[in-house]
Amino acid sequence: MRTIEWHDGVVRMIDQRKLPHEFVEVEFTDYRDVARAIKEMYIRGAPAIGAAAAYGVALAAVHSSARNRSQLLADLKEAAGVLRGTRPTASNLLWALDRMLAKAEDQALKDIREIRLALIAEAEALADEDVEINKRMGGYGAELIEEGCSILTHCNAGALATVDYGTALAPVRTAWKQGKRVHVFVDETRPRLQGARLTAWELMSEGIPMTLIADNSAGYFIQAGKVDIIFVGADRVVANGDVVNKIGTYKLAVVARENGVPFYPVVPTSTVDLATASGNEVPIEERDPEEVTHVRGQLIAPEGVRVANPAFDVTPHRYITGIVTEGGIVYPPFKKALRAVVEASRQ
Ligand code: MRU
């Protein structure tokens, strides 16, 4: 299953807002619709957002009425600007757009026909690489999983958050395929319930043993010694190793440290932002208050209540045991090790 695919000038993606009760795919030919789909979370999860943005640029190229290179580049930059403005926190979005624009500007491409074809190929390559990278991270992460291991995860950093296979769920999938007995505690992940709706659906579809828990009970199970290891994804990891991920991740990391439970973000290097020194410099997306006041369309708070709804938080690097990447597991001190793994990935 791929969350997003390209078919003859059309982008097809799963509408994740409808899961787990309905499996619906939608098709777009206009990059503005892809931008809207990212913003409204038809597709979500940092690597999947990156792939969607890349396909958005490919759509803009294919459907542009430009007659020459400079007109096409102007159209592509406009499209990239719209896509860039959709969600502010995920590194992969910016990384994918930069990669697509660099390809568009490649002087080896002779004319606009070649640019269009190259952009389609680049988006397809980015999507294929995502799956391959996730499988590699799965291999490294699975080495941390022992027979009978109990894992806890937050939000959805599974296949649905990527093109396929997932980040935080990749080690779980690989360990399961290796025949290890595992069990996963799944945080429901208020307010959008990505854990309850998406991670639970993914794990149950594959028959991987799991238990859904309310976010508030994670500390209870960790303290009771029921959790051996925690895997999460990330929207951005910055130069000093601070991890920006779904709101609630920080609280989980602190409780993990207090109880001696290892805490590992699983992160492709496309999520690493070496240009930002520390996590508190990362823009944190603030989302619609309705995500907090309503559950599945139903008002649960007094009308007119004041709401704050940050979508992500920052886990300081001191709480992180190691970061699983496609180039191996990086341990503290993170600054040098992260730079080395990112540079190796770009060679
Ligand atoms: O708001 P979302 O659902 O896009 O947030 C997703 C997460 O926080 C994931 O943990 C992160 O993007 C990594 S996904 C592999």
Side-chain angles (χ1 to χ4, degrees):
M1 171 199 75
R2 285 205 168 202
T3 53
I4 182 159
E5 281 174 329
W6 176 271
H7 290 282
D8 293 333
V10 176
V11 169
R12 181 185 302 160
M13 64 176 75
I14 301 170
D15 182 353
Q16 299 188 26
R17 302 167 313 161
K18 304 250 164 58
L19 286 170
H21 302 303
E22 282 176 79
F23 185 91
V24 175
E25 289 183 295
V26 286
E27 292 188 342
F28 300 120
T29 51
D30 189 325
Y31 76 84
R32 293 174 200 87
D33 290 326
V34 173
R36 183 175 50 82
I38 296 172
K39 212 177 174 76
E40 294 178 8
M41 294 174 72
Y42 290 56
I43 189 159
R44 30 66 51 201
I49 292 171
Y55 281 125
V57 173
L59 276 185
V62 168
H63 298 289
S64 158
S65 56
R67 288 167 176 269
N68 58 45
R69 185 186 289 261
S70 68
Q71 280 174 2
L72 182 62
L73 286 181
D75 283 355
L76 294 177
K77 282 186 183 147
E78 190 181 321
V82 171
L83 290 157
R84 208 179 290 274
T86 50
R87 297 195 71 189
T89 306
S91 259
N92 308 60
L93 176 67
L94 312 176
W95 167 84
L97 290 170
D98 289 347
R99 178 168 161 174
M100 293 298 284
L101 289 181
K103 177 53 75 181
E105 282 169 358
D106 184 346
Q107 291 304 318
L109 301 169
K110 286 201 296 291
D111 52 30
I112 61 173
R113 187 182 155 273
E114 281 198 3
I115 298 176
R116 287 189 169 113
L117 291 174
L119 288 176
I120 297 168
E122 192 70 5
E124 293 278 57
L126 187 149
D128 290 345
E129 285 163 26
D130 179 67
V131 184
E132 198 245 318
I133 282 169
N134 295 340
K135 289 188 174 162
R136 257 193 279 158
M137 294 195 296
Y140 289 120
E143 289 171 23
L144 302 168
I145 298 178
E146 288 171 12
E147 168 63 20
C149 193
S150 180
I151 298 142
L152 187 142
T153 192
H154 189 63
C155 192
N156 172 265
L160 290 164
T162 61
V163 177
D164 201 356
Y165 210 72
T167 61
L169 290 191
V172 177
R173 285 207 157 89
T174 302
W176 180 249
K177 284 190 179 138
Q178 289 168 345
K180 289 179 189 163
R181 212 164 30 88
V182 297
H183 168 265
V184 187
F185 281 107
V186 176
D187 274 2
E188 61 173 346
T189 319
R190 275 281 285 149
R192 288 195 66 112
L193 302 169
Q194 291 95 328
R197 295 191 304 107
L198 307 176
T199 302
W201 180 75
E202 273 191 39
L203 292 174
M204 285 178 77
S205 309
E206 283 179 49
I208 300 176
M210 58 144 294
T211 304
L212 177 63
I213 60 172
D215 297 324
N216 291 334
S217 53
Y220 168 85
F221 288 108
I222 292 170
Q223 190 183 44
K226 306 267 190 225
V227 175
D228 299 312
I229 191 166
I230 298 176
F231 288 117
V232 295
D235 270 64
R236 200 184 295 216
V237 174
V238 298
N240 69 354
D242 289 353
V243 169
V244 185
N245 190 48
K246 180 53 55 199
I247 193 79
T249 303
Y250 165 56
K251 205 162 74 171
L252 207 52
V254 174
V255 177
R257 170 57 52 89
E258 163 74 9
N259 291 275
V261 173
F263 185 89
Y264 286 91
V266 183
V267 174
T269 50
S270 53
T271 303
V272 180
D273 167 15
L274 293 176
T276 301
S278 85
N280 53 27
E281 294 166 42
V282 176
I284 300 293
E285 179 181 9
E286 179 73 29
R287 292 191 61 88
D288 192 335
E290 276 210 4
E291 291 183 351
V292 179
T293 55
H294 290 64
V295 173
R296 303 307 260 167
Q298 192 79 39
L299 181 68
I300 54 155
E303 196 110 35
V305 68
R306 191 155 90 197
V307 171
N309 186 19
F312 302 97
D313 61 24
V314 179
T315 300
H317 56 89
R318 65 179 178 280
Y319 293 110
I320 291 160
T321 313
I323 301 175
V324 181
T325 74
E326 73 270 29
I329 305 177
V330 167
Y331 289 99
F334 288 116
K335 213 168 171 177
K336 227 171 120 187
L338 274 177
R339 183 166 293 279
V341 86
V342 169
E343 280 168 5
S345 76
R346 294 187 183 161
Q347 273 162 15

